[in-house]
Amino acid sequence: MTLFIISILLLAALGYLAQSIGLCMVRGVNEAGKGRPMFLLAILFSGVLSWISILVGYYLDIQTPFISYEFSLWAVFGGFLFGFGAAVNNGCGVSTISRLARGHLAMLLTVCGWLAGWTVLTKLAPDINLVTFNLSPIWHNSMLALLSVIIVFLLFSMSPENRKVWGSMLLIGLMASIVFLTEQHWTPSALLKDISHSVWSESEGQWPTTERFILIAALVTGMLVAALKARTFQLLPVNGKQCVKHLSAGVLMGVGAAIASGGNDTQLLLALPSFSPAGVSTVFFMLVGIYLGRKLVVLMK
């Protein structure tokens, strides 16, 4: 119970920080395209401190969810679809929730589309069998710790602005990894996935637990508080064109996340820190999808 309360507080703080820093892979790709790659790099390496939560899990005798999988073409395809949808939506998974907390009602349609995408794939998805990639715990933790030391060392040579960005991203990754010790499927994408499975199967016992909804509520609350404090909260109505755009984008994101076994939140916070070949390829093609999707959006304006 104590760890669950700590997780609630951590997710509220995570939501506040994510809203304040403007956490978003689409923004990261846009800035990298303009010659400012630091924001994107900080996002990609945000999970390197997860070795701390792994050690805490060992101490508390809690199994950690850091499992690595072999390369898969499904991961490539799913990552690209998710990234392309995120580009059309102009926001990835976490930033969609963040913008919704700022009053952008169009993001609610993205969430609905995402849920619809998961639901469709529950019935129509091909049989995707992931093969475990075996990496010894010693090598896993050692590589994470080494990366952490290198990044911390490099922080001293960064500008104050970049140091703030990297520090915020590393803190977000650390807090998220500790929450995984309480609930391995707390992320927004995982919650939507299980809701869709429950709706489709209509079987008892499949609906996500109340604790998972409480954790997401804590995340949204932190985002809302940050928006109110920064005075960025504003209810923005939705027109017909936006309905089609964001609903379609949400479907692409949902389908992509279903095929790749997780949205960008799961990939960044679990797959990359696990050094999963499938996760690395998924994230890479998410970035490709975002880049090409943004190019297409600009051309269509």
Side-chain angles (χ1 to χ4, degrees):
M1 185 64 180
T2 301
L3 189 55
F4 180 68
I5 294 175
I6 292 175
S7 296
I8 292 175
L9 297 175
L10 286 177
L11 277 185
L14 191 158
Y16 183 94
L17 195 54
Q19 182 75 275
S20 301
I21 202 69
L23 176 59
C24 180
M25 281 182 67
V26 176
R27 173 190 167 189
V29 172
N30 289 339
E31 291 198 4
K34 297 176 182 177
R36 300 190 298 270
M38 276 297 185
F39 192 82
L40 179 59
L41 289 173
I43 292 176
L44 296 177
F45 286 94
S46 60
V48 297
L49 294 181
S50 58
W51 60 271
I52 297 175
S53 70
I54 294 175
L55 293 180
V56 172
Y58 288 157
Y59 177 77
L60 298 177
D61 196 24
I62 299 175
Q63 184 177 3
T64 57
F66 295 94
I67 302 174
S68 184
Y69 294 102
E70 296 279 4
F71 170 81
S72 166
L73 288 177
W74 289 116
V76 171
F77 182 54
F80 181 82
L81 278 183
F82 183 94
F84 195 88
V88 175
N89 183 59
N90 197 26
C92 55
V94 173
S95 59
T96 293
I97 306 300
S98 179
R99 290 174 63 187
L100 182 59
R102 292 203 304 271
H104 296 196
L105 298 181
M107 295 300 105
L108 186 58
L109 291 165
T110 303
V111 173
C112 291
W114 200 347
L115 184 59
W118 275 112
T119 303
V120 169
L121 263 293
T122 298
K123 179 63 178 179
L124 303 179
D127 187 16
I128 302 174
N129 294 316
L130 297 176
V131 179
T132 302
F133 176 77
N134 294 315
L135 182 65
S136 72
I138 293 178
W139 274 106
H140 182 204
N141 290 334
S142 298
M143 290 168 66
L144 285 174
L146 178 60
L147 278 173
S148 301
V149 171
I150 293 173
I151 290 173
V152 170
F153 178 77
L154 291 175
L155 285 177
F156 292 100
S157 62
M158 294 181 187
S159 66
E161 181 181 357
N162 286 332
R163 193 179 302 127
K164 178 182 177 181
V165 169
W166 275 87
S168 298
M169 294 300 181
L170 291 174
L171 185 56
I172 286 174
L174 176 59
M175 291 190 293
S177 65
I178 293 176
V179 176
F180 280 122
L181 299 178
T182 299
E183 175 52 66
Q184 296 186 4
H185 307 288
W186 70 263
T187 60
S189 64
L191 181 65
L192 289 174
K193 172 186 176 182
D194 288 346
I195 289 175
S196 67
H197 284 183
S198 176
V199 170
W200 184 266
S201 64
E202 297 182 353
S203 57
E204 295 184 2
Q206 297 295 317
W207 189 258
T209 62
T210 303
E211 287 78 8
R212 292 174 66 182
F213 286 98
I214 292 174
L215 291 174
I216 293 298
L219 177 72
V220 175
T221 299
M223 291 175 170
L224 179 60
V225 170
L228 291 174
K229 181 179 179 182
R231 297 182 179 179
T232 57
F233 180 85
Q234 182 182 7
L235 283 177
L236 299 179
V238 186
N239 57 39
K241 182 178 179 181
Q242 288 177 320
C243 286
V244 174
K245 172 185 175 182
H246 291 283
L247 190 61
S248 301
V251 170
L252 285 175
M253 293 169 71
V255 171
I259 293 174
S261 299
N264 70 306
D265 48 12
T266 300
Q267 302 297 336
L268 290 171
L269 299 173
L270 281 181
L272 286 189
S274 301
F275 299 106
S276 168
V280 171
S281 57
T282 296
V283 172
F284 176 80
F285 279 93
M286 279 182 180
L287 298 177
V288 172
I290 291 172
Y291 178 79
L292 295 179
R294 292 308 299 165
K295 289 289 187 182
L296 180 61
V297 168
V298 171
L299 288 175
M300 293 180 65
K301 285 184 176 180

